[in-house]
Amino acid sequence: MRKFIVMFLLVFLGIFLYFNLSYLPAEKMISNNVSQHYINSGVKETGSFNLVTAILFDYRAFDSLGESTIIFAAVSGIVLILSRKTLPVSSHGLTFIVKRTLGLLTPFIFLFSIYLMTHGHLSPGGGFQGGVILATISIIFCIVYGSEFDQKKFSPQTKTKLETGGALLFILMGILGVIFENGFLDNLNLFNGEPGSLISAGNIPVINLGIGLKVGAGLAIIFYSMIQKTFGEETDH
Amino acid sequence: MIYNIVFVILFILGLYTVLVKKSMIKMVIGLNIMESAIFFWVISLSNTGNLIPILQTYMEEKAVNDPVPQALILTGIVIGASTTAFLLTLIIELKKLGGSINLDHIKGLSE
């Protein structure tokens, strides 16, 4: 009975939502001045062909710094809640076929994540996407080879160092902008090659690399904390 | 037009899941569906039928889609992933303390 009342109300809400949305001027979004400026002179001002990356890491780089702080806060909270003194119990991993196949594939996954991070100003991708793919390597180690293997290869201390290192690289780029250019996180003129080549667009590739390391290590830490608890509970029964 | 219809359907489905289902995991799934609906809708606003905002060369006529909503939604996706991970962590702790993730069977919550 309660289900039907909720369903009835939600159908009414959906109809009202649809008629309100259809009054919005969707086509006029493009004609505002900020977007037009980014499209017209984005490449000239930043050297990045990917305009989304140009907005994220040059015009609005300070917002991206806050965004990476949010990831840091989430990782801190999760580790604080799920922290446990005992070492994780290793699973045995999957079969021989899976282990050999992923042993061949893992270097290419790593290469793909590095490609996405360093080509963020030229093609779709960037630090966040590359970092998520980087985190899958740690997850593959944990599931396929057992969590003991993962702990041996990337210890939690290494992951913490990578995460703080990425964040510090970002902030260092900001402070270099204060010293050499006009303000915090202003684009540097150090690596300004021809736009469209790999070494161009100032400090955008460096910031992408830092963000990628930070996101990858952060997601790996989240997965590590969760899997630790799960394996521990299985042995209790 | 079609984007608005799909957005409303997805959003209502997510809200229904959050309101009706008893399992906490299903509530998180419903929140994620609502989130994805909003992301989809804002991205659809930037679509004017032109090229993607990733240029190949210096183009003379810059007929590309609006890059600002896409940058905003990239931020939103990252924050959504963070909050989802945190919610799942809280559910793990709730399972340990209350004995269940079903709202009817959590110890100390009913009666």
Side-chain angles (χ1 to χ4, degrees):
Chain A
M1 190 58 209
R2 202 171 128 252
K3 264 185 198 175
F4 286 110
I5 295 173
V6 171
M7 222 183 281
F8 189 68
L9 287 177
L10 284 182
V11 167
F12 267 104
L13 180 66
I15 291 169
F16 284 131
L17 204 57
Y18 174 72
F19 280 111
N20 277 312
L21 286 181
S22 55
Y23 289 124
L24 280 183
E27 302 83 23
K28 287 176 186 165
M29 289 289 284
I30 192 74
S31 67
N32 59 28
N33 293 324
V34 179
S35 302
Q36 219 34 261
H37 175 77
Y38 288 159
I39 291 171
N40 284 332
S41 52
V43 177
K44 208 182 300 168
E45 287 178 0
T46 67
S48 161
F49 273 4
N50 188 343
L51 292 175
V52 181
T53 305
I55 292 172
L56 271 177
F57 296 115
D58 191 342
Y59 293 110
R60 297 267 158 241
F62 198 68
D63 296 347
S64 295
L65 186 62
E67 191 183 344
S68 65
T69 314
I70 287 176
I71 299 174
F72 180 72
V75 170
S76 307
I78 288 167
V79 171
L80 197 67
I81 290 173
L82 290 180
S83 66
R84 175 179 273 202
K85 294 279 168 54
T86 56
L87 283 173
V89 180
S90 176
S91 63
H92 298 295
L94 301 178
T95 61
F96 177 75
I97 300 172
V98 187
K99 281 182 182 171
R100 284 312 301 161
T101 313
L102 278 169
L104 290 175
L105 275 179
T106 307
F108 293 103
I109 298 174
F110 182 69
L111 187 68
F112 182 53
S113 81
I114 295 295
Y115 165 76
L116 275 184
M117 280 181 218
T118 51
H119 286 68
H121 55 299
L122 299 177
S123 59
F128 292 105
Q129 294 88 339
V132 171
I133 294 174
L134 192 64
T136 58
I137 294 177
S138 177
I139 296 174
I140 283 172
F141 280 169
C142 222
I143 291 176
V144 175
Y145 298 97
S147 55
E148 206 171 297
F149 183 82
D150 180 53
Q151 203 194 7
K152 222 175 283 175
K153 290 286 176 189
F154 297 111
S155 67
Q157 285 79 21
T158 316
K159 286 170 189 162
T160 315
K161 274 174 196 159
L162 276 178
E163 200 196 4
T164 44
L168 286 179
L169 189 62
F170 200 150
I171 294 172
L172 177 74
M173 281 297 137
I175 292 172
L176 283 182
V178 174
I179 295 171
F180 292 112
E181 303 291 331
N182 292 324
F184 190 67
L185 282 169
D186 203 357
N187 207 342
L188 301 176
N189 279 320
L190 292 178
F191 317 110
N192 264 355
E194 180 73 17
S197 58
L198 180 59
I199 300 177
S200 64
N203 59 4
I204 289 178
V206 185
I207 292 178
N208 261 324
L209 203 62
I211 286 269
L213 290 179
K214 182 176 169 44
V215 171
L219 289 184
I221 290 172
I222 290 176
F223 181 78
Y224 187 77
S225 315
M226 286 185 173
I227 206 85
Q228 189 178 350
K229 197 81 167 189
T230 316
F231 282 144
E233 277 171 1
E234 272 175 9
T235 52
D236 287 343
H237 290 298
Chain B
M1 178 70 180
I2 186 75
Y3 298 125
N4 288 352
I5 294 173
V6 175
F7 163 70
V8 168
I9 290 173
L10 278 177
F11 191 84
I12 294 299
L13 275 179
L15 198 56
Y16 176 79
T17 312
V18 172
L19 287 179
V20 167
K21 296 294 178 186
K22 298 282 186 187
S23 167
M24 297 293 250
I25 298 279
K26 286 179 182 169
M27 284 184 182
V28 175
I29 293 174
L31 274 179
N32 271 301
I33 292 174
M34 286 165 72
E35 217 175 74
S36 309
I38 292 171
F39 294 163
F40 169 78
W41 184 69
V42 178
I43 286 291
S44 79
L45 283 184
S46 80
N47 180 15
T48 48
N50 294 318
L51 297 171
I52 55 171
I54 297 169
L55 311 177
Q56 298 300 319
T57 54
Y58 282 118
M59 297 190 339
E60 289 305 320
E61 76 283 12
K62 301 279 173 49
V64 293
N65 288 336
D66 193 355
V68 177
Q70 306 195 4
L72 283 176
I73 292 307
L74 184 56
T75 309
I77 289 171
V78 172
I79 292 170
S82 303
T83 51
T84 304
F86 194 70
L87 279 176
L88 290 176
T89 307
L90 291 181
I91 291 173
I92 291 174
E93 275 304 288
L94 186 70
K95 172 81 164 71
K96 197 184 160 225
L97 293 176
S100 173
I101 57 167
N102 193 316
L103 276 182
D104 288 341
H105 301 121
I106 295 174
K107 267 183 280 177
L109 192 62
S110 56
E111 294 168 35

